Amino acid sequence: MTARPAPAPAPAPAPAPSLPAPDLDGLPRVTRSLAATAGEYDRTGAFPATGVRAVYEAGLLTATVGERHGGPGLGVADTARILAALGEGDPATALISAMTLNVHTMQARSPHWPERLYGEVLARSAEGPVLLNNARVEPDLGSPARGGLPATTARRTAHGWALSGAKRFVTGAEGLTWYLVWATTDEPEPRVGTFAVPGDAPGIEITHRWNHLGLRASGSHDIAFHEVEIPADHLVSVAERGPAAVQDNRAGAPLHLPLAALYLGVGRAAQRYFHRFAHERIPANLGHPVARTERFRQAAGEIQLLLDSAEQLVLGGARRVDGADPTYTPEQALGAKILATRHATTAVKAALRLLGNPGLTRDNPLERHFRDIQCAPVHAPQEDTALLVIGASALGTWARTAAPAPTETSELVGTSGPVGTSGPVGTSAPVGTSAPPQSSDPTEEPA
């Protein structure tokens, strides 16, 4: 009797691509490199290719690729450190980089990309800069952080999908390797998903160029997709159309901390110029640097206090997220973002106010830092949305734990139950270790 041949061994998994190692010790050097070109990119509004290349070569653009995918797997705290350093050098380049870092973070926390497609992303990332960004905001919908579903459609074709629709504020648009387009399928029972569209695919049009006050080199253009065809396996994630597809502002709350750190970097850049001015400016009627005056010392103390406290909120919260601290809630992360943004904005304003006319001239960078910091509050979820989540949780906690007996509340006519006790809003569960594909995108711009 002839023995059956032994089954062929399963093929060995493809080796993980060799990604550049992140050089966190070299962050000051990257900051200086970005700062050297930031002013010119701000003036021209051109895509900051030199800055992106510097970020990539320092191993920072892939720093959040998960260990399971052969990456460094850096956590929230290290990502915040990176973006603070990049933001101090050139916040436009930092914001473009933040988009890609966030995509890799989401994949590391909750893998949802098709294996082959994400493998292609990593293989190309081993060879050069690969930029990714979510295209979610729409002209009619506005920011998904305020609810709603996309009008952009994904039509079934013989070989995959064809996408049509308009998106706004797609940061880094001209340099993206893949657009991650949020769209509704045309199926009998529509679903809502994210589709990976190659940046060089035919049918992509820039319909309006970014021409904003700040972050002028971020290239956050408006984009139209005209029947852009992609393969079937470029569907990154999908959910049934309905509540499950609506953006959850609590789920991705920890990921807002690194973005807040980016703007702390802007604040530090403004502080650095303020210090330089204070030591170099010697009025003839004073006879010594204004740094020795009580007025400048008091302002310097205020700026230091604002930025130090913001940094403690952001980095302290980030370390608690990395340590899976069960007492650190999404509401606390959202609160840290709000306060850090307020503090950084106030610090830059204080520096500008004290310098007067010299602070407003385009001959020095403080005027640019002031324009750039104005972009900090616009990232979704905006302050009012975040405060709504925080307030609902606070009221819901009281209703569950300290509400008076019914006899004590009988005069509250017209109430229909405790505030915040239905649905995810109003809970105060700890920050989780995973974030679903429909969670809040911290890099989103508003409508």
Side-chain angles (χ1 to χ4, degrees):
M1 184 174 179
T2 305
R4 291 184 180 180
S18 179
L19 300 174
D23 181 12
L24 299 187
D25 292 336
L27 285 176
R29 182 176 63 253
V30 179
T31 298
R32 291 191 296 270
S33 174
L34 298 189
T37 58
E40 180 63 14
Y41 279 126
D42 174 79
R43 186 185 68 80
T44 65
F47 179 79
T50 302
V52 170
R53 169 60 67 172
V55 174
Y56 171 79
E57 290 180 350
L60 306 178
L61 202 57
T62 50
T64 57
V65 173
E67 293 180 352
R68 74 180 80 193
H69 301 298
L74 296 191
V76 179
D78 282 334
T79 306
R81 285 182 58 200
I82 290 170
L83 289 180
L86 302 186
E88 185 174 350
D90 179 7
T93 299
L95 187 62
I96 293 170
S97 303
M99 305 295 185
T100 297
L101 288 169
N102 180 57
V103 172
H104 288 309
T105 295
M106 298 286 280
Q107 173 67 7
R109 285 171 167 257
S110 180
H112 52 280
W113 280 66
E115 186 175 346
R116 187 208 64 77
L117 181 59
Y118 194 64
E120 181 181 348
V121 170
L122 297 183
R124 293 180 63 175
S125 297
E127 300 171 355
V130 167
L131 297 177
L132 312 165
N133 189 15
N134 289 283
R136 294 171 63 84
V137 179
E138 295 186 344
D140 294 330
L141 173 67
S143 171
R146 298 184 181 275
L149 296 171
T152 300
T153 59
R155 180 178 60 83
R156 280 281 194 182
T157 67
H159 303 290
W161 304 91
L163 275 76
S164 296
K167 298 293 183 180
R168 302 199 70 193
F169 309 130
V170 185
T171 294
E174 289 173 293
L176 294 181
T177 314
W178 274 280
Y179 294 86
L180 303 179
V181 182
W182 195 44
T184 301
T185 69
D186 70 340
E187 298 164 310
E189 295 185 6
R191 297 179 294 166
V192 176
T194 298
F195 298 78
V197 177
D200 58 358
I204 301 175
E205 176 191 6
I206 294 178
T207 56
H208 183 270
R209 302 190 72 82
W210 175 257
N211 188 26
H212 274 44
L213 177 73
L215 299 184
R216 293 185 54 77
S218 69
S220 302
H221 306 314
D222 292 1
I223 304 294
F225 298 90
H226 304 288
E227 285 288 297
V228 180
E229 296 193 13
I230 59 173
D233 69 348
H234 279 42
L235 175 57
V236 174
S237 62
V238 69
E240 298 301 321
R241 185 179 176 90
V246 175
Q247 182 165 303
D248 182 351
N249 289 316
R250 291 182 77 255
L255 303 185
H256 299 296
L257 296 173
L259 193 65
L262 186 159
Y263 290 100
L264 288 182
V266 178
R268 292 298 187 189
Q271 181 188 40
R272 185 174 64 248
Y273 182 80
F274 175 81
H275 287 173
R276 174 185 167 187
F277 179 92
H279 283 288
E280 294 181 353
R281 172 65 174 150
I282 305 176
N285 62 344
L286 190 62
H288 58 75
V290 294
R292 290 165 57 182
T293 66
E294 182 176 325
R295 184 173 175 225
F296 267 79
R297 288 181 175 182
Q298 184 177 17
E302 178 186 1
I303 292 169
Q304 185 76 24
L305 178 63
L306 287 167
L307 295 178
D308 281 354
S309 58
E311 192 172 275
Q312 290 170 14
L313 281 168
V314 170
L315 295 182
R319 286 190 288 267
R320 291 175 68 182
V321 172
D322 289 339
D325 183 344
T327 67
Y328 193 70
T329 66
E331 287 75 18
Q332 289 174 294
L334 290 173
K337 172 185 180 288
I338 291 172
L339 291 177
T341 298
R342 288 179 181 176
H343 287 359
T345 303
T346 302
V348 177
K349 182 179 178 180
L352 188 74
R353 182 178 64 243
L354 198 60
L355 266 61
N357 271 333
L360 291 170
T361 178
R362 293 197 173 186
D363 295 336
N364 70 58
L366 185 58
E367 176 268 348
R368 170 165 48 88
H369 301 325
F370 178 76
R371 287 189 286 108
D372 287 340
I373 203 71
Q374 305 311 309
C375 296
V378 306
H379 293 285
Q382 290 174 275
E383 184 170 308
D384 62 321
T385 303
L387 287 173
L388 183 63
V389 174
I390 295 168
S393 174
L395 292 170
T397 298
W398 184 90
R400 289 191 307 276
T401 61
T407 55
E408 299 177 53
T409 60
S410 58
E411 61 188 57
L412 300 180
V413 178
T415 59
S416 57
V419 176
T421 55
S422 62
V425 175
T427 62
S428 56
V431 170
T433 57
S434 63
Q438 298 300 333
S439 64
S440 173
D441 176 9
T443 56
E444 235 170 52
E445 311 268 358

